[in-house]
Amino acid sequence: MPTLDRDGDVYVLNLGDDENRFNPDWVGAVSALLDEVAAAPEPRALVTTATGKIWSNGLDLEWMGANPGEVPAFVPRVHALFGQMLGLPVPTVAAIQGHCFAAGAMLAVAHDFRVMRADRGYFCLPEVDIHIPFTSPMAALIQARLSKATAHEAMTTGRRYGGADAAAAGIVDAAVSEDRVLAEAVERAGALAAKHGPTLGAIKAGMYGETLALLGDLTPIAFG
C-alpha cells in the first residue's frame, strides 16, 4: 500500500512496490495521503514515486472483473483522484522510475512536472489496444496536460514512450539515469516548496476549471 515520508520540505509519496493498480483500497489510501500533504504547514511540496519496475499499471482490471456492480461508482472515484492531484495546492513532481501505463499515466500527467528514467520503462496509454475507450474526464485530463499532437498520438496509437522519447514529446520534463530519478524530482519539488499554497491552488483552479469539474463529477458511469 502507499506510504508517505518526508525529505526536508518535500513529502515523498511511494505508490507501492507491486503494479500499484487502482482499486478502492489503493485509491482511498492515495487520496488520504494527498489530503495529509495538502493540510501540512508550508513550505511543502510533493514527489510521487514507487519501488521496483512499475510506477503504476493503471486500473485493477482483475478487481473490476470480479466486482462489475461496483465499477460504475468506482471509476468516478478514479477521476476524482486525478482531479485531486491536478488541483492540489502544492507543487507536485512525479518521479517515474518504471512503467507508467493507462490510468497510471493519467495520474502522472496530473502532476505539475514529471521526471522519468531514461534507459528503461515506458509511458503508455494503451486503451486503443485493450479496447477500452477513454471516459470524457480522462480524455479531458490528457488533452489539458499534453500538447494536441502528443495527446493525439498517445491516445490513438497506444505508443510506448521511453524516457528520451517522452521528454522529446513534452510528456516528461526530464529523462535521467535510474539513480537520479528520485533525487532530481526532490530537487525540483524542493525549489518550489515555498510557493504560497492558496495562491497556487487558485491558479490551478483557474487554469483547469473545466477539466476539474469533469473529474469531480461522482455520478456513476458505464465503463469499457
Side-chain angles (χ1 to χ4, degrees):
M1 292 297 288
T3 58
L4 188 66
D5 294 304
R6 190 164 186 174
D7 183 349
D9 293 333
V10 179
Y11 286 87
V12 179
L13 170 56
N14 191 306
L15 298 176
D17 59 4
D18 196 0
E19 294 192 16
N20 307 324
R21 288 186 176 268
F22 292 56
N23 56 50
D25 288 344
W26 189 91
V27 167
V30 174
S31 179
L33 292 176
L34 293 183
D35 282 340
E36 182 177 337
V37 174
E42 298 179 6
R44 76 273 200 261
L46 174 70
V47 165
T48 308
T49 188
T51 302
K53 297 186 293 184
I54 296 170
W55 194 81
S56 173
N57 261 348
L59 294 176
D60 189 339
L61 299 179
E62 182 177 347
W63 177 88
M64 294 171 72
N67 299 274
E70 298 183 45
V71 171
F74 171 65
V75 172
R77 288 186 57 199
V78 174
H79 295 161
L81 182 64
F82 297 154
Q84 186 178 7
M85 183 66 77
L86 181 64
L88 203 71
V90 175
T92 60
V93 183
I96 306 170
Q97 90 299 336
H99 296 308
C100 184
F101 274 59
M106 297 177 215
L107 182 63
V109 301
H111 288 68
D112 297 329
F113 304 100
R114 286 155 297 285
V115 176
M116 186 173 176
R117 180 175 171 176
D119 60 330
R120 296 187 68 180
Y122 293 105
F123 175 101
C124 180
L125 295 168
E127 280 73 7
V128 69
D129 293 320
I130 59 177
H131 309 160
I132 300 178
F134 296 95
T135 64
S136 294
M138 290 175 178
L141 169 64
I142 297 163
Q143 292 172 291
R145 295 294 292 130
L146 301 181
S147 72
K148 289 184 177 180
T150 296
H152 182 89
E153 179 182 57
M155 295 172 73
T156 64
T157 71
R159 176 179 173 181
R160 295 186 176 195
Y161 297 83
D165 289 339
I171 297 169
V172 301
D173 300 279
V176 299
S177 61
E178 177 185 11
D179 63 340
R180 283 293 303 161
V181 175
L182 182 57
E184 176 76 14
V186 169
E187 288 175 10
R188 286 172 177 255
L192 299 171
K195 301 300 181 185
H196 183 242
T199 302
L200 180 60
I203 289 171
K204 290 182 181 182
M207 292 178 68
Y208 300 113
E210 293 183 6
T211 301
L212 288 168
L214 285 171
L215 292 169
D217 184 354
L218 295 178
T219 304
I221 60 170
F223 180 75

